[in-house]
Amino acid sequence: MPSAKQYSDPLTRNDIGLLILRVAVGVTLCWSGLNVVFASEQFVQLGSTASASADLAARVLAATYSIGGALLIAGLLTPLGGCAVLGSMLYSAVLGYSVRSDLFQSGTEVQFPLVLAAAATAVILMGPGRISVDGRFGREQWPNAVSSVLVVAGFGAAIAAWVLIKGTNPFP
């Protein structure tokens, strides 16, 4: 348990900045994910075809980034939430790119997920800050090994999701 002195120190700009980053990314993803999970028209586009398996895959992907976003908002198990967001946003970016095969013409279909993936990576590497559940229990920063492994796991999860859902190599 952290000492009382730790919380008597004034908050730093980093703590406030990390809170703003976590909450902005988390709210965006929770809102978007819940819309995808509960809106019948939107989830089919995330899967491979308009089939039951694509429907399930899209709902699982949206639920994954919704849960990851909720973990980021609370700052609870922050690296795991960031890893979920990183993997799902990388999958979404590759999906957006694969539709047009042109990075510059893909627009927000690629750019927005990449920005969210970069923000999730920053939170994984920097930690949640003191204004978080993790921070309350002395985990303002997670060990470097944990952060590094979870960044790599996020990339691996995106590749694994692509192979499982699409059945092809994401790097043709």
Side-chain angles (χ1 to χ4, degrees), residues 156-171:
I159 293 168
W162 185 273
V163 170
L164 288 172
I165 293 170
K166 298 291 189 175
T168 62
N169 181 359
F171 307 109

Side-chain angles (χ1 to χ4, degrees), residues 35-106:
N35 282 334
V36 170
V37 169
F38 295 112
S40 60
E41 301 85 34
Q42 293 179 337
F43 56 78
V44 174
Q45 66 187 352
L46 291 174
S48 57
T49 60
S51 67
S53 63
D55 173 37
L56 177 63
R59 287 180 190 249
V60 168
L61 178 68
T64 299
Y65 67 75
S66 293
I67 292 168
L71 290 173
L72 289 180
I73 291 169
L76 175 65
L77 301 174
T78 309
L80 295 176
C83 181
V85 168
L86 175 61
S88 57
M89 289 298 104
L90 288 176
Y91 172 84
S92 295
V94 171
L95 180 65
Y97 174 76
S98 71
V99 171
R100 297 215 177 144
S101 296
D102 186 358
L103 187 61
F104 297 108
Q105 298 299 320
S106 296

Side-chain angles (χ1 to χ4, degrees), residues 79 121 123-127 139-152:
T121 303
V123 171
I124 292 170
L125 295 174
M126 293 174 55
R139 288 279 187 194
E140 298 91 22
Q141 289 185 327
W142 287 71
N144 292 339
V146 171
S147 298
S148 300
V149 166
L150 288 174
V151 168
V152 172

